[in-house]
Amino acid sequence: MNHKRGVFISFEGGEGAGKSTAARALAETLQQRGHEVVLTREPGGTKGAEAIRGLLLNPETILTPMADTLLHFAARADHVANIIAPALARSAVVICDRFYDSTMAYQGYGFGVDLAAIRALVALVGLKPDLTIMLEVSDFIAKQRLAGRGGVADRYEQMGADVMARIAAGFRVIAEAEPDRCVLLNADDDAAHVQAEILALVHGRFGL
């Protein structure tokens, strides 16, 4: 790759949108094409951030919306410093399952945390994805996928339909505000079709 800096791609969307599947498939294809790819996730990516993830996803954890937000950014600060920024510095492709748009959509639009406060924290971390792929999914498909996972639903998967609707609307507002960075894709189709769209998008944007 001839980039002075690597390429940073984030995947966003609500519960059951297929972000993890899409991110993994893109990473595998780009690796097969000879690129160094770092596939990571939020909250998580480092030992400390994964510990915070365990706390955030635990259904028994009770947090105020602001405490929830600050924990996400604590995990993010560690993740960026130790995983994402070094990978970009060596011209790798970083593919992240969620980044700061999730905090804006969930904690901001979903839970009512002041949007200006979240933007200030975004600026503090100081890193923006080059491309954010936002996967939209119908309620019916999302419920099917979540039910298919089995096990106990995590803290966010247990949110009510009203909160989920506010989060989905929040992602659309974010995408409309930054059309150069954010691309909305319908993720109701089968994974192969969605992945073909993503590969075409990434190739067209970055030549990868």
Side-chain angles (χ1 to χ4, degrees):
M1 291 173 62
N2 296 318
H3 302 281
K4 291 181 180 177
R5 168 190 176 276
V7 173
F8 183 18
I9 300 169
S10 61
F11 280 85
E12 297 286 4
E15 304 303 316
K19 297 174 305 302
S20 302
T21 300
R24 188 165 54 248
L26 177 61
E28 289 171 359
T29 300
L30 294 184
Q31 284 171 336
Q32 289 165 5
R33 292 177 179 177
H35 302 291
E36 182 195 351
V37 179
V38 174
L39 176 63
T40 189
R41 68 179 183 178
E42 289 214 339
T46 65
K47 188 174 181 179
E50 288 290 338
I52 294 172
R53 179 187 181 90
L55 176 65
L56 284 166
L57 268 57
N58 187 338
E60 296 181 7
T61 298
I62 300 172
L63 295 166
T64 66
M66 180 55 80
D68 200 55
T69 301
L70 292 172
L71 279 172
H72 275 281
F73 274 98
R76 183 163 297 130
D78 195 55
H79 188 206
V80 167
N82 291 298
I83 300 293
I84 298 177
L88 292 174
R90 62 177 187 268
S91 299
V93 178
V94 176
I95 298 172
C96 194
D97 180 355
R98 297 196 182 281
F99 199 55
Y100 63 66
D101 294 304
S102 274
T103 313
M104 187 66 75
Y106 278 69
Q107 283 70 33
Y109 290 97
F111 302 162
V113 174
D114 181 65
L115 299 179
I118 297 176
R119 289 190 190 101
L121 291 166
V122 168
L124 196 62
V125 171
L127 183 63
K128 177 187 271 192
D130 300 300
L131 172 66
T132 296
I133 299 168
M134 292 190 173
L135 301 180
E136 287 198 301
V137 66
S138 65
D139 291 342
F140 176 74
I141 297 292
K143 286 174 183 174
Q144 271 193 330
R145 290 176 181 170
L146 290 173
R149 290 179 185 175
V152 178
D154 70 35
R155 188 164 152 264
Y156 295 113
E157 291 170 350
Q158 292 181 7
M159 294 182 303
D162 56 336
V163 179
M164 295 279 204
R166 291 199 300 271
I167 290 167
F171 276 124
R172 287 192 290 274
V173 171
I174 293 165
E176 288 165 6
E178 292 189 67
D180 291 341
R181 175 176 69 87
C182 302
V183 177
L184 282 167
L185 289 182
N186 185 333
D188 278 356
D189 286 325
D190 65 272
H193 181 79
V194 174
Q195 184 56 23
E197 281 194 275
I198 292 168
L199 284 172
L201 173 63
V202 170
H203 182 71
R205 184 74 63 99
F206 306 112
L208 299 175

